[in-house]
Amino acid sequence: NTFVEHEGAKTIILCNEDKIEDEERKTYDEMKEKLVGATLALDIDIDTVLLSLIDEHRSQTRFHNFLGQAASTICELFQRSDIHNIRALRRAISELRSIFETIDGIDNINPADIEKQIIYTAVPTALELYGRAADPIELEGIHVTKSVILGQIGRSVFQRREKKATYADQFVERYFGHVSLLEYKNVVGCPPILRFLQTGFLDRPRLVEWATELVRPPNEQEELIRQVIFDWMNMSDEEFGQKTSQVLQDVETGAIADIETYLSLIHI
């Protein structure tokens, strides 16, 4: 007030209003209404910021190219996180480098072939840990599932929970509520990546095992389940009925014993 009314000075206030303590906020709002003539909101230009963060890794050509290919996915996940924390995004990309370099060293595996699985697994988890200070124990339950979305849907039905959203429900909706059914298979958990992001220790053998499993051709039963879950819209009613009956028979006879697969099938 002294600057503006008595000195006639042009004054700019730079302020993160969300950080003002509750007991001071009322006073601030009253003074702002009387004294501040214009308010400008500063928003992140995420496209420019992300290009700059990616460019920090230009010396590592293969990883830099990988980030370039994944840029749109990373950008969308960051926007959906709603944390607006560039430091968390920078750290997430930095941690991706160690994950990428480990997988890039595996014979007959190109990280680009499992780009979505790597990004979907590492980036949201990193943003939750570094930007939202999420409880790692809460994240553990998400990372033990082969298909995060179908596993979560299956658990919801299987446990007959009340409609109160858990952290896992919020996580899945926040980052993957927009993905198509065909994309579900790419949203997978990975305990070694969670541990790495949490502790800084990368269990390379288990990460290699995870990546190798992703590119392994499915067996006959796995392919049948994949078709029933993901490709049903491309089948005739007769074909879908036959394949569904076979899957149900496998469940009844115990041929399907994997609890995660069973939980996923509840979605059908």
Side-chain angles (χ1 to χ4, degrees):
N1 188 41
T2 299
F3 291 151
V4 175
E5 294 190 359
H6 299 286
E7 301 297 335
K10 296 183 183 297
T11 306
I12 298 175
I13 301 172
L14 298 180
C15 176
N16 183 349
E17 294 181 330
D18 293 337
K19 298 297 183 180
I20 298 176
E21 300 291 341
D22 291 341
E23 59 269 19
E24 302 291 342
R25 186 58 188 256
K26 182 178 179 181
T27 301
Y28 170 80
D29 288 341
E30 290 175 350
M31 296 179 66
K32 176 183 174 182
E33 181 182 2
K34 295 176 181 178
L35 300 174
V36 177
T39 300
L40 301 177
L42 301 181
D43 292 326
I44 299 172
D45 181 354
I46 183 57
D47 292 325
T48 301
V49 169
L50 183 58
L51 288 175
S52 177
L53 295 179
I54 290 175
D55 201 44
E56 292 178 0
H57 300 273
R58 60 186 178 277
S59 62
Q60 300 296 319
T61 304
R62 287 179 61 81
F63 180 57
H64 186 261
N65 292 339
F66 175 82
L67 289 178
Q69 292 293 324
S72 61
T73 304
I74 295 173
C75 181
E76 183 170 24
L77 291 171
F78 179 73
Q79 290 175 319
R80 294 186 67 86
S81 75
D82 198 32
I83 61 171
H84 310 296
N85 189 325
I86 297 301
R87 290 188 300 276
L89 180 59
R90 171 182 275 116
R91 187 171 176 187
I93 291 175
S94 178
E95 305 292 26
L96 265 177
R97 179 168 166 175
S98 295
I99 296 168
F100 172 88
E101 289 175 347
T102 296
I103 295 175
D104 196 35
I106 306 174
D107 291 339
N108 302 320
I109 295 184
N110 183 351
D113 294 337
I114 52 174
E115 171 197 309
K116 285 290 184 67
Q117 290 95 325
I118 296 172
I119 298 299
Y120 282 159
T121 303
V123 173
T125 304
L127 294 175
E128 290 293 299
L129 286 172
Y130 308 147
R132 190 170 273 114
D135 185 350
I137 295 178
E138 297 274 16
L139 288 165
E140 283 181 3
I142 297 170
H143 276 270
V144 296
T145 56
K146 294 178 181 178
S147 172
V148 168
I149 298 178
L150 292 180
Q152 193 58 31
I153 293 173
R155 281 198 177 93
S156 298
V157 176
F158 185 70
Q159 295 174 359
R160 301 182 186 278
R161 286 199 304 254
E162 296 179 358
K163 293 185 178 180
K164 182 179 179 181
T166 65
Y167 171 78
D169 294 327
Q170 295 169 356
F171 178 94
V172 169
E173 178 59 29
R174 181 180 301 132
Y175 292 104
F176 307 117
H178 66 296
V179 303
S180 66
L181 181 64
L182 292 175
E183 192 82 335
Y184 280 14
K185 64 182 180 298
N186 293 324
V187 185
V188 294
C190 180
I193 287 180
L194 171 61
R195 288 281 182 268
F196 171 57
L197 298 175
Q198 178 189 355
T199 67
F201 169 73
L202 182 58
D203 188 339
R204 295 177 184 276
R206 290 192 65 199
L207 180 60
V208 169
E209 181 182 344
W210 174 79
T212 303
E213 181 68 17
L214 288 178
V215 299
R216 179 182 61 82
N219 59 37
E220 184 176 339
Q221 186 185 76
E222 290 171 336
E223 178 60 20
L224 178 61
I225 292 172
R226 187 197 67 77
Q227 291 175 359
V228 169
I229 294 177
F230 299 115
D231 293 341
W232 54 268
M233 70 290 291
N234 297 320
M235 301 181 198
S236 66
D237 291 345
E238 181 180 2
E239 183 182 8
F240 179 73
Q242 291 173 347
K243 293 187 176 182
T244 301
S245 296
Q246 181 60 54
V247 171
L248 292 176
Q249 182 179 342
D250 288 344
V251 171
E252 291 173 357
T253 60
I256 295 177
D258 185 340
I259 186 62
E260 291 300 333
T261 301
Y262 176 63
L263 290 174
S264 299
L265 290 175
I266 295 176
H267 180 60
I268 299 175

